[in-house]
């Protein structure tokens, strides 16, 4: 995962403004912040509203709201367990997916529910779209707060519509033309081993999976592996039809890491041997000023909120990015993914 210092932009005071009460008077809706288009906060208007049952009944309506706002935050519904969280996912999607072609350490806590990224608490995780580097990615993401941290630990989110609007036409045009090349190396002592990434000890299984999704495989000595794949920078949302900025060009690039980690890696590896790195799709390096501009586009699009126990965050993975702030104390945020898509099916 790429880690950078927090954005200097501070979120102003949040004003609670009721936007709508459902016909059944069961829930209220409001924007978290008048300065941001997401998330839409949905809270029970009366006690005892069962989120699983209510969400299943309102699934079509919630789908429309998700496409409009990009993220929905369900708060105050008394979700208290991983099992309930899994049921919420099933009520709003075809069900949670297994975490495949991994890029970050996570722990399975039940079914296809995992801990959010198991990274050191003092590190920030740069905002990104989940699996936008992968030929197969989830359209929908879910987060559940089982235990908020003592301080920090927010999961900042931002609209990809806002990110794209902040990218210059010249930069966007070049990425549209060339795409993104992702180079990953496994087994060199940094990052996840290929056995964890692909959830297999069998080289043949790894090769078959990679061939099925267009990933080039290169076995190196001592059972090490390098993969390469090319992907689009801009894709078309299958439900709204709009074009969105959706890639890991910034997140996986070596320059997005903090200076201490970046210098350590570059002193040991060349650009093609790093755990993860990105290039233009033709293999040419991405210019430093372009990467700086892209990082600013992400960071200046974020909205932050403090987790409350029982919160469930429902994200359209193509319409919203997410990250993580440093924290202190114990923190238990669970995640699930749903509705797999192929990047080749949504490429512009």
């Amino acid at each position: 995962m790429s880690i950078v210092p927090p954005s200097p932009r501070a979120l102003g005071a949040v004003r609670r403004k009721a936007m709508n009460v459902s016909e059944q008077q069961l829930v209220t809706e409001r924007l978290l912040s008048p300065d941001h288009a997401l998330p839409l906060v949905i809270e029970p208007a009366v006690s005892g509203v069962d989120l699983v049952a209510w969400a299943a009944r309102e699934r079509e309506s919630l789908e429309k709201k998700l496409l409009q706002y990009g993220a929905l935050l369900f708060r105050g519904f008394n979700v208290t367990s991983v099992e309930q969280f899994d049921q919420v996912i099933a009520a709003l999607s075809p069900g949670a997916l297994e975490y495949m072609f991994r890029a970050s350490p996570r722990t399975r806590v039940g079914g296809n529910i995992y801990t959010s990224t198991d990274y050191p608490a003092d590190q920030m995780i740069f905002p990104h779209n989940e699996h936008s580097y992968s030929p197969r990615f989830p359209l929908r993401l879910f987060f559940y707060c089982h235990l908020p941290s003592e301080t920090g630990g927010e999961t900042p989110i931002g609209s990809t519509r806002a990110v794209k609007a902040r990218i210059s036409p010249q930069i966007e045009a070049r990425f549209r033309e060339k795409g993104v090349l992702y180079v990953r190396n496994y087994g060199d002592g940094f990052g996840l081993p290929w056995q964890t990434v692909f959830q297999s000890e069998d080289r043949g299984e790894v090769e078959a999976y990679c061939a099925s999704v267009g990933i080039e495989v290169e076995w190196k000595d001592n059972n090490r592996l390098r993969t390469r794949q090319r992907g689009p920078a801009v894709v078309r949302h299958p439900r709204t039809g709009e074009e969105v900025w959706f890639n890991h060009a910034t997140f996986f690039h070596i320059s997005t890491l903090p200076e201490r980690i970046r210098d350590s890696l570059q002193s040991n590896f060349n650009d093609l041997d790093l755990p993860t790195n990105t290039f233009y799709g033709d293999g040419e390096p991405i210019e430093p000023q372009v990467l700086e501009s892209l990082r600013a586009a992400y960071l200046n699009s974020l909205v932050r909120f403090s987790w409350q126990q029982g919160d469930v965050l429902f994200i359209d993975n193509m319409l919203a990015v997410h990250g993580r702030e440093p924290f202190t104390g114990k923190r238990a945020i669970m995640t699930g993914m749903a509705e797999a898509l192929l990047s080749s099916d949504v490429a512009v």
Side-chain angles (χ1 to χ4, degrees):
M1 283 287 183
S2 299
I3 306 156
V4 298
S7 166
R9 178 175 179 176
L11 176 64
V14 175
R15 298 198 296 267
R16 295 177 61 94
K17 179 182 179 182
M19 295 179 58
N20 179 55
V21 180
S22 72
E23 292 180 359
Q24 296 80 17
Q25 299 292 304
L26 294 179
V27 303
T28 61
E29 300 172 358
R30 62 182 174 87
L31 281 175
L32 180 71
S33 165
D35 300 323
H36 294 271
L38 81 174
L40 181 70
V41 183
I42 301 176
E43 298 166 297
V46 295
S47 62
V49 179
D50 181 87
L51 179 57
V52 174
W54 177 81
R57 291 196 305 270
E58 299 294 326
R59 181 169 172 173
E60 184 176 349
S61 172
L62 291 170
E63 165 78 11
K64 293 178 181 177
K65 288 181 172 64
L66 186 67
L67 294 177
Q68 178 181 354
Y69 295 98
L72 307 178
L73 176 60
F74 300 105
R75 172 163 284 177
F77 286 93
N78 196 34
V79 177
T80 60
S81 68
V82 169
E83 291 74 20
Q84 279 182 284
F85 175 50
D86 200 10
Q87 292 168 8
V88 172
I89 296 176
L92 291 168
S93 75
L97 300 168
E98 185 176 3
Y99 180 33
M100 296 296 293
F101 196 30
R102 303 181 178 201
S104 59
R106 290 180 179 160
T107 303
R108 190 193 297 262
V109 294
N112 286 327
I113 307 301
Y114 301 83
T115 58
S116 60
T117 303
D118 297 332
Y119 257 67
D122 63 345
Q123 298 178 355
M124 178 189 174
I125 299 174
F126 190 83
H128 58 285
N129 300 95
E130 189 64 41
H131 266 59
S132 64
Y133 62 87
S134 176
R136 181 179 290 126
F137 66 88
L139 177 61
R140 299 290 154 78
L141 295 181
F142 297 82
F143 292 93
Y144 158 57
C145 177
H146 188 67
L147 179 68
S149 54
E150 292 178 11
T151 65
E154 298 89 349
T155 299
I157 57 177
S159 168
T160 53
R161 293 161 173 147
V163 172
K164 186 172 182 291
R166 287 180 165 90
I167 297 172
S168 76
Q170 294 80 12
I171 291 176
E172 182 180 330
R174 187 164 192 189
F175 274 101
R176 280 178 178 271
E177 175 189 356
K178 295 178 175 291
V180 183
L181 172 65
Y182 302 101
V183 180
R184 299 180 66 185
N185 289 274
Y186 320 84
D188 291 315
F190 291 87
L192 298 177
W194 62 262
Q195 295 89 341
T196 299
V197 170
F198 295 98
Q199 292 292 284
S200 175
E201 301 278 343
D202 188 320
R203 285 192 180 197
E205 289 182 359
V206 172
E207 292 170 357
Y209 171 80
C210 289
S212 73
V213 291
I215 299 173
E216 301 173 21
V217 170
E218 177 187 350
W219 293 104
K220 303 187 291 185
D221 59 5
N222 298 320
N223 205 30
R224 297 176 301 147
L225 172 65
R226 175 186 291 140
T227 59
R228 301 169 185 249
Q229 89 242 27
R230 290 166 179 81
V234 178
V235 298
R236 189 177 303 280
H237 195 289
R239 308 274 168 83
T240 70
E242 66 192 297
E243 294 183 357
V244 296
W245 183 260
F246 187 80
N247 60 76
H248 255 52
T250 312
F251 187 79
F252 267 177
H253 197 274
I254 181 63
S255 67
T256 304
L257 290 167
E259 182 177 2
R260 177 180 58 83
I261 299 174
R262 180 178 68 241
D263 290 348
S264 175
L265 288 171
Q266 289 184 313
S267 67
N268 288 283
F269 304 102
N270 64 45
D271 285 351
L272 289 176
D273 286 323
L274 292 162
T276 63
N277 206 4
T278 56
F279 306 83
Y280 287 115
D282 59 4
E284 289 297 309
I286 305 171
E287 301 87 347
Q289 65 272 23
V290 169
L291 290 154
E292 283 298 322
S293 176
L294 292 175
R295 280 190 284 270
Y298 283 95
L299 293 171
N300 290 330
S301 301
L302 296 180
V303 58
R304 294 169 176 81
F305 63 93
S306 297
W307 283 111
Q308 295 181 15
Q309 193 164 21
D311 280 352
V312 174
L313 182 63
F314 182 22
I315 291 179
D316 185 299
N317 188 37
M318 295 179 73
L319 297 180
V321 298
H322 66 280
R324 193 203 70 184
E325 298 287 2
F327 64 93
T328 63
K330 294 181 179 180
R331 179 181 185 268
I333 307 296
M334 313 304 176
T335 189
M337 311 173 198
E339 296 191 49
L341 293 179
L342 294 176
S343 62
S344 58
D345 289 341
V346 295
V348 175

